[in-house]
Amino acid sequence: MSGEHRSDVMAHPGDSGSRRAPRSLFLALLAVLAWLPLPLGSNRPWSWSLFEAAVFLLLAIWSFGLAVGGWQASRALRTIRWPLGLLAVWLVYQWLLTVPLPQELLQLIAAQTYAVIVSAEGAGVSVVPAIAIDIAAAEGLLLRNAAYLGLLLLVVSVVDSRRRLLLLVATLAGVGLAESLYGLAVYLSGNSFGFWQPNTTGHHVVTGTFVNRNHFGAHLGMTLALGLGLLTILPQGTAEHPGWRAGFRQTLHLLLAPGALLYAGALVMAAALILSHSRGAILAFVLGLGTAVVLSVLRARRVTRELRVGALLLVLASGALIWLGSGNLEGRFSDVGPQGSERLRVWGETLAMVRDRPLFGVGGGGYQWMYPSYKGQRLIDLYYDHAHNDYLEFAVDFGLIGLALILVPVAWLVSGMVSACLARRH
């Protein structure tokens, strides 16, 4: 393709005569990725339906190109074919939970679910005998998970050159910056306007265009990390002799170079992340940044560019705290509070749900229907349709078998990323 090097290291050896996915498909993929956070984090039926339709359409185009257009699968796709295969098995497993079963078999493999169905039928409610107690919700979640896997497949297949990779990273980081600017504007205006719907989370937190501050924080933690990745590959200037003076001069060079705009963007994103007050997102970002720095030092056995960028980020974060303050962030970390104590109690009750249905769970989306019977007579103000802990909720919905089917390929992919980080040359 014009402007893209066919000899790029991400291309498969010997594929110089093959056709890659066209630029138009790559740009369409970028558009989908840029759009996803905007409509309330694609966390409403109409918005996730658009997401599913877009991904499946792009998958159909890509599959047609592979079949009749002479396009070639990327090397990256071949490298991770086993984790992708396990994720596909996970989707099949979710579908099997929705298949109607003879009641005798259901009683044998899922006695608790069978008891719920018998109870419902005794009350005059017709229920399809399947492991998933809410087949419609399970099928909807299966469709979304298939779209997520399809998105991963498209990214690995279509982003097959260094140029495309940089454009992808820049796009995602740019969307994170736009979300941060919007979220801070709403925060500083006292929530006087909102995107798609009025802001209901209060003036004390930044949520961007997301429904939930934790969703916003998670998205921002990932996109801020990508922005820092861009900072680490900026031109480093002339070589310097080791020492603190050389490190100081290189740090000044980083701040005064054209990449200073990236640092300004990182400052804005760090401020928005802090003001989201999402403890999980902040801790996850700090852990991820620390892991990247440690891996970089282990690889180079010396002070690295990643370490300098990480130190600068700490300075930027301190600047963000001075600039906008931290709101009630200290209280969020220092005091669990009534809501935190309630959540811990919910987790304990969720573990009881897992113990009762350890193998197969209750099917996707079933948590909200089963939880009320486990909280007993205890009155709570919040309606818990989720466990607020993905691992526990996965175990409830899909059982320990389903949890393993998602954790094994994810661990496989993470292991591969760590190995690639230690072996990389750039």
Side-chain angles (χ1 to χ4, degrees):
M1 308 302 291
S2 60
E4 299 183 0
H5 301 293
R6 296 306 302 265
S7 60
D8 194 282
V9 295
M10 297 182 69
H12 192 276
D15 285 351
S16 58
S18 63
R19 295 185 59 191
R20 298 163 54 197
R23 180 187 295 269
S24 57
L25 183 62
F26 169 67
L27 294 177
L29 176 62
L30 286 186
V32 170
L33 289 168
W35 163 260
L36 284 179
L38 300 182
L40 304 174
S42 293
N43 192 31
R44 291 293 183 267
W46 66 269
S47 55
W48 71 55
S49 296
L50 289 175
F51 157 60
E52 292 164 357
V55 169
F56 293 143
L57 176 60
L58 294 182
L59 274 176
I61 295 173
W62 179 74
S63 300
F64 182 80
L66 285 180
V68 303
W71 301 353
Q72 296 293 320
S74 67
R75 182 178 64 180
L77 181 60
R78 302 169 192 176
T79 301
I80 65 169
R81 62 186 181 276
W82 290 112
L84 288 176
L86 286 174
L87 290 173
V89 171
W90 179 60
L91 294 180
V92 174
Y93 171 81
Q94 291 181 59
W95 170 76
L96 289 174
L97 297 182
T98 67
V99 174
L101 300 173
Q103 291 199 4
E104 296 79 7
L105 178 59
L106 182 62
Q107 184 179 11
L108 178 64
I109 65 176
Q112 294 282 345
T113 301
Y114 173 77
V116 172
I117 292 176
V118 170
S119 176
E121 290 178 341
V125 178
S126 178
V127 181
V128 176
I131 294 177
I133 62 174
D134 187 343
I135 292 180
E139 291 175 342
L141 185 57
L142 169 61
L143 196 62
R144 286 201 298 283
N145 286 334
Y148 287 129
L149 181 56
L151 189 63
L152 171 61
L153 183 63
L154 284 168
V155 169
V156 173
S157 303
V158 176
V159 184
D160 55 0
S161 70
R162 189 183 305 280
R163 177 181 174 84
R164 289 186 177 184
L165 178 61
L166 289 176
L167 286 173
L168 171 68
V169 172
T171 298
L172 295 176
V175 171
L177 176 58
E179 283 280 350
S180 300
L181 290 170
Y182 169 79
L184 289 173
V186 174
Y187 175 86
L188 295 174
S189 68
N191 288 348
S192 60
F193 61 94
F195 190 58
W196 301 110
Q197 68 180 19
N199 192 296
T200 58
T201 56
H203 173 64
H204 62 289
V205 294
V206 175
T207 63
T209 62
F210 287 77
V211 175
N212 184 285
R213 64 182 174 191
N214 297 308
H215 301 174
F216 169 73
H219 175 262
L220 192 56
M222 292 185 288
T223 52
L224 175 54
L226 291 174
L228 294 178
L230 290 176
L231 286 172
T232 63
I233 62 172
L234 290 174
Q236 300 189 37
T238 58
E240 295 271 8
H241 294 291
W244 70 268
R245 293 184 180 85
F248 180 71
R249 284 193 292 269
Q250 289 186 357
T251 300
L252 285 180
H253 173 76
L254 290 174
L255 289 173
L256 298 177
L261 289 177
L262 288 176
Y263 284 100
L267 170 61
V268 172
M269 296 170 77
L273 177 60
I274 291 170
L275 291 176
S276 73
H277 289 184
S278 174
R279 291 171 294 190
I282 294 172
L283 289 174
F285 175 76
V286 171
L287 177 61
L289 178 64
T291 301
V293 170
V294 169
L295 290 176
S296 178
V297 172
L298 288 175
R299 169 182 166 271
R301 304 291 181 182
R302 58 183 173 79
V303 175
T304 64
R305 189 175 178 85
E306 286 87 341
L307 181 57
R308 288 194 292 271
V309 169
L312 283 173
L313 179 66
L314 294 178
V315 174
L316 292 176
S318 301
L321 287 172
I322 296 173
W323 176 30
L324 292 173
S326 63
N328 192 37
L329 182 63
E330 297 90 343
R332 290 276 294 165
F333 278 97
S334 62
D335 183 16
V336 175
Q339 184 175 344
S341 299
E342 177 62 38
R343 185 171 294 181
L344 291 175
R345 184 175 298 179
V346 169
W347 290 352
E349 293 159 346
T350 302
L351 281 173
M353 298 168 65
V354 176
R355 286 193 295 268
D356 287 343
R357 300 166 180 81
L359 293 181
F360 303 107
V362 298
Y367 180 89
Q368 60 182 325
W369 307 117
M370 297 305 301
Y371 175 71
S373 63
Y374 282 81
K375 72 180 183 67
Q377 301 300 316
R378 183 168 53 88
L379 297 179
I380 54 177
D381 296 331
L382 298 176
Y383 167 64
Y384 281 90
D385 55 347
H386 295 288
H388 295 274
N389 182 307
D390 287 337
Y391 303 102
L392 289 178
E393 188 166 340
F394 269 62
V396 169
D397 283 353
F398 308 119
L400 298 180
I401 294 176
L403 182 62
L405 285 174
I406 186 66
L407 290 183
V408 169
V410 168
W412 194 332
L413 291 171
V414 170
S415 174
M417 285 187 280
V418 171
S419 298
C421 184
L422 291 174
R424 65 193 166 94
R425 291 169 294 174
H426 190 286

